[in-house]
Amino acid sequence: DTGVSQNPRHKITKRGQNVTFRCDPISEHNRLYWYRQTLGQGPEFLTYFQNEAQLEKSRLLSDRFSAERPKGSFSTLEIQRTEQGDSAMYLCASSFGGLEKLFFGSGTQLSVL
Amino acid sequence: AQSVAQPEDQVNVAEGNPLTVKCTYSVSGNPYLFWYVQYPNRGLQFLLKYITGDNLVKGSYGFEAEFNKSQTSFHLKKPSALVSDSALYFCAVRATRTGANNLFFGTGTRLTVIP
């Protein structure tokens, strides 16, 4: 399967700890997106990369959140000093050229205790 | 600003019957509309999109959606439901801000197809 891969699938952490998630997009896709989904809600946009450039960030992305996409390949999303409100499913998606069709990974479920 | 609303949290339909999952939208300008489906333990999957052109859009797995500009709706339909269609369905609209590259999703509708 050459779809979008996210690791880890699950992460449990204590409040105040830092966590990092990884996303490997489909190899030929130049665009990569991070979304967050909480129970009973639809995905909410966090940030977007075109190749290695981070072109857009949501106001949801506080200073504790940082995302990178070195060399325009995989991406990491780091949350510093986690809070209970950060508990959510973090979704990565990739596309080639635009929003016309996003390919989503299975997500990383974060639980902050 | 832009938004989508999915007025039904849950839709139940008998296998073989037609199904409709409702979505209304609010955007300034021309809407770019999408439907995605989420199966348990799997990522969201693209079903179909409306950018321009015919109001009836055909997509994956036999689904189609009808764009209605006067009613600002984009309902998802299928003539004959399968048990395997049971999943969570999301309507989405593209952000209309110039240069924006993100989607706004609705809260989702859980479809249950009863054998």
Side-chain angles (χ1 to χ4, degrees):
Chain A
D1 188 298
T2 56
V4 178
S5 177
Q6 291 189 247
N7 288 288
R9 291 294 304 273
H10 304 274
K11 179 69 177 179
I12 300 173
T13 190
K14 293 182 179 179
R15 188 174 51 188
Q17 298 294 305
N18 299 343
V19 295
T20 300
F21 312 139
R22 177 179 171 124
C23 172
D24 288 273
I26 293 171
S27 59
E28 63 267 27
H29 285 182
N30 60 341
R31 297 191 176 196
L32 186 146
Y33 307 79
W34 285 98
Y35 282 80
R36 181 174 69 185
Q37 185 178 16
T38 54
L39 198 62
Q41 299 297 317
E44 296 174 297
F45 171 75
L46 292 177
T47 190
Y48 145 72
F49 290 85
Q50 180 163 312
N51 299 313
E52 67 275 10
Q54 187 174 18
L55 297 184
E56 192 168 347
K57 292 194 290 187
S58 162
R59 282 174 290 181
L60 291 175
L61 213 66
S62 75
D63 292 344
R64 297 184 296 106
F65 288 69
S66 62
E68 295 181 343
R69 194 184 181 197
K71 303 179 183 178
S73 55
F74 71 91
S75 176
T76 58
L77 177 67
E78 181 184 15
I79 309 175
Q80 297 182 328
R81 304 180 303 282
T82 53
E83 301 173 356
Q84 288 185 327
D86 297 332
S87 296
M89 176 74 81
Y90 289 84
L91 301 171
C92 177
S94 69
S95 71
F96 182 76
L99 273 173
E100 282 67 36
K101 184 174 182 179
L102 299 185
F103 292 79
F104 280 84
S106 298
T108 295
Q109 181 67 54
L110 173 66
S111 298
V112 181
L113 304 179
Chain B
Q2 59 283 301
S3 64
V4 291
Q6 294 181 244
E8 300 160 317
D9 291 337
Q10 174 83 40
V11 170
N12 297 325
V13 63
E15 185 177 21
N17 282 3
L19 70 86
T20 299
V21 182
K22 296 179 180 178
C23 173
T24 58
Y25 66 89
S26 174
V27 298
S28 55
N30 295 322
Y32 287 18
L33 297 161
F34 304 81
W35 276 100
Y36 280 80
V37 59
Q38 189 172 37
Y39 297 102
N41 299 317
R42 295 178 65 180
L44 280 82
Q45 295 179 29
F46 171 86
L47 279 180
L48 51 79
K49 67 185 180 192
Y50 173 83
I51 306 295
T52 187
D54 289 342
N55 290 341
L56 186 63
V57 179
K58 294 189 181 298
S60 307
Y61 313 122
F63 283 92
E64 57 190 27
E66 186 172 9
F67 171 69
N68 188 315
K69 188 172 183 178
S70 63
Q71 298 185 4
T72 62
S73 66
F74 189 56
H75 301 332
L76 182 70
K77 300 181 179 184
K78 188 173 182 180
S80 178
L82 301 173
V83 173
S84 58
D85 293 330
S86 298
L88 190 56
Y89 290 81
F90 290 96
C91 182
V93 63
R94 177 177 177 165
T96 53
R97 187 179 68 258
T98 301
N101 282 279
N102 58 294
L103 297 180
F104 285 89
F105 285 85
T107 52
T109 298
R110 185 164 298 281
L111 173 68
T112 300
V113 181
I114 303 164

